[in-house]
Amino acid sequence: MEFDPRRFGVKTIDAVVYAVSLTGVVFVVTALLSTLAGNGLPGAKWLMFFLGFAMFGYASLKVRPKAAWKGGDENSDNDGGLFSGSDEPVGVEKLVGNALDAILPPRLRPANSDERPSSGGKLLLASVCILAASYAMEVVFGINY
């Protein structure tokens, strides 16, 4: 398979926008829940930390290829393991994909599903962003107790 800079760029844009969007959604939800529980932003930081690690574990299982002895092909992009199935976007992933399709110029839009990164890959990047945001809340902004 030959390296295609356009395809790589489209996949990168899609994955980064998804990761940043999901990090923002997780921050708002955890801040709201933590504030309602009376813990404020320090509680949100801890919720983001634990949720980020849980998402990292789930995503690492999701990106594993299906084993060859289970009928997986080494050249396929099929998700494998316990979480095999459709790689159709749902929830925030679908919302971000639709927004990108509306915002990006036609030459930067994914032409087909092969030009989009896998949902497991995007979730893995998003979990790293959530962990980084939790770390930044503590180290950069001094939110701790």
Side-chain angles (χ1 to χ4, degrees), residues 3 6 20 24 33 37 44 52 55 59 74-76 86 97 99 104 107 109 111 113 118-119 121-122 129 133 135 140:
F3 177 74
R6 180 198 173 278
V20 170
L33 290 174
M55 286 173 58
E74 64 184 31
N75 295 326
S76 72
S86 163
L104 290 177
R107 64 184 173 83
R109 289 186 198 141
S113 63
S118 70
S119 60
K122 291 193 282 189
C129 286
Y135 180 75
V140 176

Side-chain angles (χ1 to χ4, degrees), residues 54-67:
M55 286 173 58
F56 188 84
Y58 175 72
S60 65
L61 290 174
K62 199 166 165 70
V63 297
R64 291 180 59 216
K66 191 171 184 176

Side-chain angles (χ1 to χ4, degrees), residues 19-20 22-23 48-49 51-57 59-60 120-136:
V20 170
L22 189 58
T23 301
M48 287 179 68
F49 175 77
L51 185 61
F53 267 110
M55 286 173 58
F56 188 84
S60 65
K122 291 193 282 189
L123 191 60
L124 190 66
L125 181 62
S127 68
V128 170
C129 286
I130 291 169
L131 288 169
S134 173
Y135 180 75

Side-chain angles (χ1 to χ4, degrees), residues 11 17 44 60 63 101 120 136:
K11 281 187 172 188
V17 170
S60 65
V63 297
D101 288 344

Side-chain angles (χ1 to χ4, degrees), residues 57-121:
Y58 175 72
S60 65
L61 290 174
K62 199 166 165 70
V63 297
R64 291 180 59 216
K66 191 171 184 176
W69 60 272
K70 289 184 178 179
D73 181 13
E74 64 184 31
N75 295 326
S76 72
D77 291 332
N78 188 12
D79 285 349
L82 297 172
F83 307 103
S84 62
S86 163
D87 202 30
E88 289 295 316
V90 293
V92 174
E93 185 178 0
K94 187 173 186 174
L95 183 69
V96 169
N98 291 341
L100 278 176
D101 288 344
I103 294 171
L104 290 177
R107 64 184 173 83
L108 291 180
R109 289 186 198 141
N112 53 36
S113 63
D114 287 343
E115 288 192 348
R116 292 198 185 272
S118 70
S119 60

